[in-house]
Amino acid sequence: MTQTLTLTRPDDWHLHLRDGALMAAVLPHTAREFARAIVMPNLKPPVTTVDLAAAYRDRILAALPAGMSFEPLMTLYLTDRTDPAEVERAKASGFVHGIKLYPAGATTNSDSGVTSLDKVMPALEKMAEIGLPLLVHGEVTDGDIDVFDREAVFIDTLLAPLLQRLPSLRVVLEHITTRQAAAFVAAAPENVAATVTAHHLLMNRNAMFTGGIRPHHYCLPVLKREQHRQALVQAVTSGSAKFFLGTDSAPHARHTKEASCGCAGMYTAHAALPLYAEVFDRAGALDKLEAFASFNGPDFYRLPRNTDKVTLNRSAWTVPAEYPFGEHTVVPLRAGEEVQWTLAA
Ligand SMILES: NC(=O)N[C@@H](CC(=O)O)C(=O)O
Ligand SMILES: [Zn+2]
Ligand SMILES: [Zn+2]
């Protein structure tokens, strides 16, 4: 049995850092493991311009504890009004690495999201032309569509037609949760890739209802059936370069999740790489973890791979019940339970 695993330092290609004191509370967890992260723009108000992204980037760097290094890779939030000129400014900035499509109403802070793809065609055409990736929360929002089907329906009715219209558009389908998404990405040309979270690889939808309702296991896209979890594990351990690590670590204060209408999002940054190691270990594919965590993402984003290393030891530790989160606390995945791998200091 492998006891120690040394790999090239990974990056997180889908992360929610929030802002202000909340960001300061969670940022060290990410910076300890990852060299870089694609930082999601769904703040209130959203990060819709290069100027807002520059200011947010400065706040992240200012919140970084002394002695830690971390590079935030910024994104813009696509709206019905995004100007193609702003897309050009984003590409020219050198620090904006993608533009995020949230269908309006699909998830946390998506009220200003896109109401119809037709409205954003000028921006998407510009992105295809200059090679700036589109990052996609791939769920339809139609209340008539079953919540467990929203990703598969998005692919059939919106993503596939979009790629037919703009075949050169570089697309990352974020936090995929279904066998349909895994199959679509695997079969697509090389300009289409996907991030996969640790929690969608570790849990199926039963985890939301174990002995009662489990709000800390609620995220979007919602956890799916076991057959989908297995398809995701198969995809990330297949050796395909189209799948890469994106935690979607999405912290919410405890009281906003333990509520009559609880927020969507799981906090996993405290143990991200160890949680992924559990998945690859159980699949007998620890040798595939490094490409997924450290190579496929930078290759897709056309950024250099990291050169320093991290080490994981097979050594269990118990996750705290909660972590400080500004004036509140956040309940991490596995709170009070064990994680089987430890990141060496
Ligand atoms: N994943 C989630 O359940 N929530 C994310 C938003 C998102 O990634 O859809 C959040 O910002 O809280
Ligand atoms: Zn999302
Ligand atoms: Zn997210």
Side-chain angles (χ1 to χ4, degrees):
M1 240 190 351
T2 308
Q3 297 299 329
T4 296
L5 198 62
T6 296
L7 34 137
T8 301
R9 182 173 294 280
D11 305 298
D12 184 349
W13 300 96
H14 183 131
L15 175 68
H16 299 274
L17 280 177
R18 313 309 188 202
D19 208 346
L22 306 181
M23 168 176 67
V26 295
L27 178 61
H29 280 156
T30 289
R32 191 174 156 249
E33 292 193 356
F34 298 106
R36 301 168 288 196
I38 285 276
V39 179
M40 288 295 137
N42 62 332
L43 303 182
K44 271 184 185 166
V47 181
T48 49
T49 66
V50 177
D51 286 349
L52 288 169
Y56 185 28
R57 182 173 180 275
D58 288 346
R59 293 196 298 280
I60 296 167
L61 292 172
L64 199 62
M68 283 190 132
S69 67
F70 173 71
E71 188 183 354
L73 307 172
M74 308 311 291
T75 59
L76 299 191
Y77 185 116
L78 186 66
T79 76
D80 289 352
R81 291 163 304 284
T82 301
D83 186 339
E86 197 64 27
V87 173
E88 283 190 318
R89 276 192 286 276
K91 174 80 175 173
S93 75
F95 58 80
V96 176
H97 295 270
I99 301 192
K100 182 69 188 270
L101 163 62
Y102 292 101
T107 187
T108 306
N109 298 347
S110 61
D111 306 347
S112 331
V114 170
T115 62
S116 114
L117 283 182
D118 286 334
K119 295 212 168 123
V120 293
M121 276 319 282
L124 298 181
E125 280 163 3
K126 179 56 74 180
M127 292 170 71
E129 179 194 322
I130 64 181
L132 189 63
L134 177 72
L135 319 185
V136 180
H137 180 108
E139 288 193 290
V140 293
T141 53
D142 185 341
D144 294 343
I145 306 291
D146 190 281
V147 67
F148 294 98
D149 296 336
R150 286 179 188 178
E151 182 177 272
V153 173
F154 180 91
I155 291 168
D156 287 347
T157 62
L158 293 170
L159 184 57
L162 174 63
L163 283 163
Q164 265 166 16
R165 206 160 152 186
L166 294 174
S168 66
L169 184 65
R170 298 169 64 210
V171 173
V172 183
L173 188 53
E174 301 289 339
H175 48 42
I176 61 167
T177 64
T178 56
R179 65 178 164 75
Q180 290 91 338
F184 179 84
V185 170
E190 65 180 9
N191 53 307
V192 179
T195 56
V196 192
T197 76
H199 46 279
H200 289 104
L201 291 164
L202 286 163
M203 295 184 287
N204 64 39
R205 65 193 197 179
N206 284 352
M208 287 186 293
F209 309 105
T210 314
I213 187 101
R214 300 286 187 149
H216 298 292
H217 290 166
Y218 173 61
C219 66
L220 288 171
V222 72
L223 294 173
K224 302 296 192 298
R225 283 179 181 278
E226 176 62 10
Q227 57 157 308
H228 297 289
R229 189 194 68 80
Q230 286 177 13
L232 298 179
V233 173
Q234 205 283 324
V236 300
T237 59
S238 68
S240 164
K242 301 178 136 256
F243 301 96
F244 40 86
L245 186 159
T247 62
D248 193 21
S249 180
H252 290 273
R254 178 193 275 268
H255 69 281
T256 66
K257 288 195 62 75
E258 298 175 4
S260 58
C261 186
C263 295
M266 292 190 212
Y267 184 62
T268 56
H270 64 296
L273 196 57
L275 289 167
Y276 282 105
E278 285 188 6
V279 173
F280 283 73
D281 188 21
R282 280 183 213 160
L286 278 175
D287 61 318
K288 300 289 201 310
L289 179 58
E290 185 177 40
F292 172 77
S294 314
F295 298 160
N296 299 347
D299 292 357
F300 181 87
Y301 276 93
R302 301 175 180 163
L303 292 168
R305 296 177 180 182
N306 299 317
T307 50
D308 62 328
K309 308 273 180 196
V310 293
T311 297
L312 289 168
N313 293 312
R314 187 188 296 279
S315 155
W317 55 289
T318 301
V319 173
E322 53 185 18
Y323 288 105
F325 190 51
E327 293 167 20
H328 304 285
T329 62
V330 59
V331 177
L333 191 66
R334 294 276 175 87
E337 294 170 23
E338 281 190 347
V339 171
Q340 298 306 314
W341 292 82
T342 303
L343 187 79

